[in-house]
């Protein structure tokens, strides 16, 4: 269900659902991964899990760790693709895989402790995670 659909559902039947609108993938990551929309969607799926009010000790840290873990998976996948392309000797695939590896590495390394105010999201919804 889209964010808008979830919001509309909450407005129409507020007593039936306590689901929050999930935080968005930080703009910094969306920009770095603009050529990889499936990865951005995958990261959004990770963040969608934080729309469900659940007691969490450190929700911001948990969200950051979840994103970093997924980015690390993307990097490992890109390295495997590069190795396979090099083994096959396809120059075009080598170039594409090398570019993906570089992008995923930059995304992981540039990810800071509170990207684009994820902290504001968790501060705003603090009660939902207690």
């Amino acid at each position: 269900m889209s964010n808008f659909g979830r919001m509309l559902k909450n407005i129409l039947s507020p007593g039936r659902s306590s689901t929050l609108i999930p935080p968005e993938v930080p703009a910094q990551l969306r920009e770095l991964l603009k050529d990889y929309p499936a990865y951005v969607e995958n990261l959004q799926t990770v963040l969608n899990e934080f729309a469900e009010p659940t007691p969490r000790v450190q929700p911001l840290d948990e969200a950051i760790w979840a994103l970093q873990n997924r980015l690390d998976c993307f990097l490992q996948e890109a390295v495997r693709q590069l190795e396979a392309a090099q083994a096959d000797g396809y120059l075009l695939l080598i170039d594409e895989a090398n570019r993906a590896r570089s992008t995923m590495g930059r995304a992981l390394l540039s990810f800071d402790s509170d990207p684009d105010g994820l902290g504001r999201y968790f501060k705003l919804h603090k009660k939902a995670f207690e």
Side-chain angles (χ1 to χ4, degrees):
M1 176 180 292
S2 71
N3 288 345
F4 179 75
R6 196 174 284 119
M7 186 173 57
L8 186 59
K9 179 181 173 186
N10 288 341
I11 290 169
L12 294 176
S13 57
R16 297 183 62 203
S17 174
S18 60
T19 302
L20 305 169
I21 295 173
E24 291 186 5
V25 173
Q28 160 192 359
L29 287 176
R30 286 194 314 267
E31 178 60 29
L32 275 169
L33 301 175
K34 65 184 174 208
D35 295 331
Y36 303 92
Y39 287 156
V40 174
E41 287 178 32
N42 196 303
L43 292 174
Q44 186 61 58
T45 299
V46 168
L47 290 175
N48 288 349
E49 294 175 23
F50 291 89
E52 195 62 41
T54 304
R56 297 177 186 266
V57 176
Q58 299 174 307
L60 172 61
D61 291 336
E62 290 178 35
I64 290 171
W65 296 331
L67 290 173
Q68 288 173 329
N69 184 48
R70 192 59 55 96
L71 287 168
D72 186 56
C73 291
F74 296 162
L75 177 58
Q76 291 175 28
E77 179 182 331
V79 168
R80 284 191 300 274
Q81 289 174 350
L82 178 58
E83 290 169 350
Q86 288 171 332
D88 290 341
Y90 293 118
L91 295 179
L92 183 60
L93 291 178
I94 291 171
D95 183 52
E96 288 176 17
N98 198 34
R99 190 171 48 250
R101 181 188 58 119
S102 177
T103 300
M104 298 312 143
R106 277 194 323 275
L108 186 57
L109 289 174
S110 68
F111 200 71
D112 64 15
S113 62
D114 187 10
D116 292 337
L118 271 178
R120 284 190 304 269
Y121 174 86
F122 290 104
K123 187 175 182 179
L124 176 66
H125 300 293
K126 182 180 179 180
K127 296 272 186 213
F129 300 105
E130 292 178 340

